Every structure is written in C-alpha cells, then in structure tokens.
Amino acid sequence: MTETGKRSLLSALLSLMLCLAHIRGSTLMVLACLAAFMLLIAHACISDVSFPILLYFLPWSPILRSDPHSFSFYTFAIVLVCGISIFKKRFRFKRYHIAAALVLAVLTLFSKLLDGTSLTFDYVAFLMLVMVFPVVKEEWKQEKYDFYQAVAAFSVGIILAALCALFLASYHGLAQFIRIDAWLTVIRRSGFYGDANFYAAQITAALGGGLVCLLREKKGARSVFLFILQVLLLYCGFLSASKSFVLISVLLLLLWIVGLFRLQGRSAFKLLLILAAVVVTVFIATSEMFRELIQVFVTRFSFRANISDFTTGRTDVWKDYIQELLRNWKTLFLGEGYTKVIIGEKYTHNTLLQMVFQLGLLGTLVLLVWMGCFFMDAPKKIKGTKIPLSHRLLVVVGAFAPWLAIDALFFDDFFLLQMYVYLGLRWMYGQQEQQAIQDRPPEQSDL
C-alpha cells in the first residue's frame, strides 16, 4: 500500500473511532482521538501532504471537538499546518500576505473600537490565515499528490461522514452533533453540519472536481472509482433536500457534457462515459433508493409563488442587509469588524454581501485583491495549449457558486476551497504542459 493509501486508511479509521468515542460518551477517548488527529495533521504537513488530509476531515469538523459547545480542533489543525509551513519556509512571506493582513487588521480594529466589540479567537484566526495560509499551498510544488487524490480524499470524507450521520443518528452521544429538519413530507439531512446548504456546498465542490477528473483521467481504475464516488455524492446531496444543490448540480452536469463532447479523440472512452451516465440517470429516476428523495425536491420546488418563496426568503434577507448598509455609512465603509452580528434573525446568506457587511467596502476590496493574488501565481497559459473553459468552470462553479446562498466567511471552507480550486487549475495546466512536451516534434540535428 502506498503512503497516500496508508494515510487515507488511517484517516478513515480515526474518524470512525471518533464517532465511537462520542457514542460511548467517553471524554478521554474523544480527547485521545483529537490528539491523534493533530499528530496526523502535523506529520502530514511535515511530509508535504497535509491538504488531502484536511479535505478529508472537513466534513467531520463539527465533531472534532470534545463537546458540541467547544471549539473545533479542525481550526486548530489549520493553524498548526500554517505554523509548520511557515517554519519550513523559514518565515518567508510574500508582500501581499503581510500587507493584506495589516490593512484588514487596522480597518477591523477601528470598526471594533467604534462599536466597542471585543476580540475573539475566530477574528484572530482569520487575520492569521490571511497572512499565513497562502504559504500552505506551496506544498503542491513537492508533487507528493495530485488533484485526483485531493478530490478522492474530499469525496470519501463527505460520503463516510454523511453515512455515519445517517445511520448513527439514533445514538445520543452522536445525535447532539446532528441536525435533521423535517416538515410535511420534507426531511433535510446535513451530515454533521447544522446547515444543509453548507453540507451541500461541500458536495458540489467535490462533484465539480470529480467531474473534471473524469474528463481528464486516463487510467481505467481511477475513472471507475471516480464514477462510483460521483453516484454516492449525488445520493448524499439528495439527502440535503437543498434546492441550490440541484441547480448547481444540473449546471455542473451541463458543463461536463459540453466538456465531454469537446474531448478530442478517445471515442470509446466518451461512448463508455455517456452509457454509464445514462445508466446512472435511469437508476436514479427509477430506484427506491432515490424515489422518496426526488419527491422531497418536487415538494420543495412546488413552493414558488414568488422569488422570495423560491429562494426560501433569501431575497428578503439580502434586501434587509442592503438597506442597513445604505443607512449606516460606518458599516458600509468599515463593516462590523468581523464580528458575529446579524440583522433580524438571519445571517446574510451570501458570502459577497457578508464580506461587505463584516469588512465594509474598503476591507472587501482588500480581501478581493488578496484572493486575486492568491491565484496569481497559478501557471499562465502555455504556448500552443489551451485548457477548455468547461473544465475550469467545473472546478470554479462547484466550489464558489454555493457562496451566493451561504455565509462562508466565518468558516474554514473559505480558505480551503480557494486552495482546492487553485490546485485544480494547477493540475490541469500541469497536465497540459506535459501533453505539449510529448507532442512537441523532436529537434532536428545540424549534423
């Protein structure tokens, strides 16, 4: 078994042991699992393979804590990875790392001073990640793993977490981490997350990455494994009863079909994928496994008297926040200083709007520049090659489209999914570069 396989197996065993520890209600056993998790992350970071492990455990992050009200050790793990990465890089930062963190610190502290709000761990961790997290992505240069392995780890983590939450929800020790929303004939599950839309957002990110890997993967065994993962991810997504999941999944499927038909050559491979997709579609439409889940979506989409009903009241929430921004000039320009303040009873349900509300227009501009710089050192276009737009959109849409309906700024997903997209783009450009080298005609000798 490869080192990657050993770490994947260890991660799965550790997550299952954590579930057992919570079920038994053993604080000592839970703490032992959390300590083992931190050691695993530290060793993975030292070995330049931390990101697939972080992706695997992201769906488990709500139970990586001693009790439902304590901090998640997942955030501590990201901080640890950042610390080790900086030490390995001998504390070398790029200018935009420090500049963005300092400007955001000045703006948010001034806003907090005006409002009299205090500093929190979330706030300090956010500023630290702005400064340090771009260093973490440098481990990609060691080529210890590829995007396929990252997608596989992410997908397996989501699937195992969702199935554990589905079948172990009756045990009290674990049930306190599980939320199930039910009304009429609608039952919404969200794995270990308290919000089905956050849960679905991780699934669409994994789906987008898996679909682009299916288009570009040339090894048969990997392709079969990816296809199985896509079917299981769809099932987990159906459990969420999230309308945004359906809409984004349909868009991803359309992009995948466009990318499939634009593949040059590989006729047998395209025919096989089309046949497999048809079989899966028929299975989903006719099987008992999906029938009740489909009916839930039919019920949810039937409530569409107006745009507010269709978006489950999100447009009304957006309107309230926009009106507050226009009334309050301090909030418009400086924001709330990365403080968990809400209007009414709901958060913004839109990450871009949340940026403006929390950081103001000035802070949002700084953060968007930081995000642009984060992706700036991705490989540029290679002469004579071109990455199909549909391939790039599969990764970008799967990861970022859900941010139009959720608040990602306060969650670890905000940084991790940016690195996920970055690695996906690097992987595609790397493949394209290798193909260009292979297709390049041999140089003619002057002799």
Side-chain angles (χ1 to χ4, degrees), residues 176-252:
Q176 58 187 334
F177 296 95
I178 300 171
R179 174 179 172 179
I180 301 174
D181 295 322
W183 67 93
L184 299 177
T185 60
V186 176
I187 299 177
R188 302 189 68 186
R189 299 180 182 273
S190 53
F192 293 115
Y193 272 73
D195 189 302
N197 291 308
F198 272 95
Y199 162 79
Q202 293 181 3
I203 296 175
T204 59
L207 276 174
L211 288 173
V212 79
C213 285
L214 267 178
L215 290 175
R216 306 182 68 87
E217 184 55 60
K218 296 182 180 180
K219 295 181 180 179
R222 280 188 169 195
S223 297
V224 172
F225 183 57
L226 281 168
F227 202 87
I228 293 172
L229 289 180
Q230 301 310 291
V231 177
L232 292 174
L233 284 171
L234 282 174
Y235 175 72
C236 295
F238 270 72
L239 291 173
S240 71
S242 169
K243 289 185 284 188
S244 62
F245 168 77
V246 171
L247 297 175
I248 295 172
S249 296
V250 169
L251 179 55
L252 291 175

Side-chain angles (χ1 to χ4, degrees), residues 141-407:
K141 295 180 180 178
Q142 305 303 316
E143 298 183 351
K144 298 287 187 68
Y145 58 90
D146 58 17
F147 187 60
Y148 161 83
Q149 291 169 318
V151 170
F154 195 17
S155 301
V156 171
I158 290 171
I159 293 165
L160 282 181
L163 295 180
C164 285
L166 177 64
F167 294 111
L168 302 178
S170 59
Y171 294 94
H172 172 72
L174 205 58
Q176 58 187 334
F177 296 95
I178 300 171
R179 174 179 172 179
I180 301 174
D181 295 322
W183 67 93
L184 299 177
T185 60
V186 176
I187 299 177
R188 302 189 68 186
R189 299 180 182 273
S190 53
F192 293 115
Y193 272 73
D195 189 302
N197 291 308
F198 272 95
Y199 162 79
Q202 293 181 3
I203 296 175
T204 59
L207 276 174
L211 288 173
V212 79
C213 285
L214 267 178
L215 290 175
R216 306 182 68 87
E217 184 55 60
K218 296 182 180 180
K219 295 181 180 179
R222 280 188 169 195
S223 297
V224 172
F225 183 57
L226 281 168
F227 202 87
I228 293 172
L229 289 180
Q230 301 310 291
V231 177
L232 292 174
L233 284 171
L234 282 174
Y235 175 72
C236 295
F238 270 72
L239 291 173
S240 71
S242 169
K243 289 185 284 188
S244 62
F245 168 77
V246 171
L247 297 175
I248 295 172
S249 296
V250 169
L251 179 55
L252 291 175
L253 180 60
L254 293 175
L255 289 170
W256 183 75
I257 292 172
V258 171
L260 181 63
F261 280 103
R262 295 193 64 180
L263 278 179
Q264 296 182 355
R266 307 179 69 187
S267 300
F269 175 74
K270 288 193 286 187
L271 183 61
L272 186 61
L273 275 183
I274 292 171
L275 179 61
V278 170
V279 170
V280 169
T281 303
V282 172
F283 171 74
I284 290 175
T286 59
S287 70
E288 289 290 336
M289 179 180 177
F290 282 91
R291 185 170 299 169
E292 291 184 6
L293 300 177
I294 292 174
Q295 186 57 47
V296 168
F297 280 106
V298 171
T299 302
R300 291 215 69 204
F301 276 98
S302 65
F303 297 108
R304 58 180 191 277
N306 51 53
I307 189 65
S308 178
D309 290 339
F310 184 77
T311 60
T312 322
R314 280 179 173 77
T315 52
D316 296 330
V317 173
W318 298 341
K319 182 180 177 181
D320 291 340
Y321 275 88
I322 291 172
Q323 289 177 344
E324 174 62 22
L325 288 170
L326 295 178
R327 283 196 302 262
N328 190 330
W329 291 96
K330 177 265 176 185
T331 303
L332 179 63
F333 287 100
L334 294 177
E336 294 292 335
Y338 201 83
T339 306
K340 289 187 177 181
V341 176
I342 62 175
I343 296 175
E345 298 180 353
K346 293 186 177 181
Y347 287 97
T348 56
H349 289 293
N350 183 292
T351 300
L352 183 59
L353 184 57
Q354 186 186 37
M355 286 183 192
V356 177
F357 184 70
Q358 289 295 334
L359 306 175
L361 290 176
L362 298 177
T364 298
L365 178 61
V366 173
L367 190 58
L368 291 177
V369 170
W370 179 90
M371 293 171 67
C373 292
F374 187 90
F375 287 95
M376 190 176 294
D377 59 347
K380 304 298 186 293
K381 182 179 179 181
I382 303 162
K383 186 177 180 180
T385 65
K386 185 179 180 181
I387 305 294
L389 179 61
S390 58
H391 292 203
R392 286 173 284 168
L393 285 177
L394 277 169
V395 181
V396 172
V397 170
F400 294 150
W403 286 12
L404 298 175
I406 61 174
D407 306 294

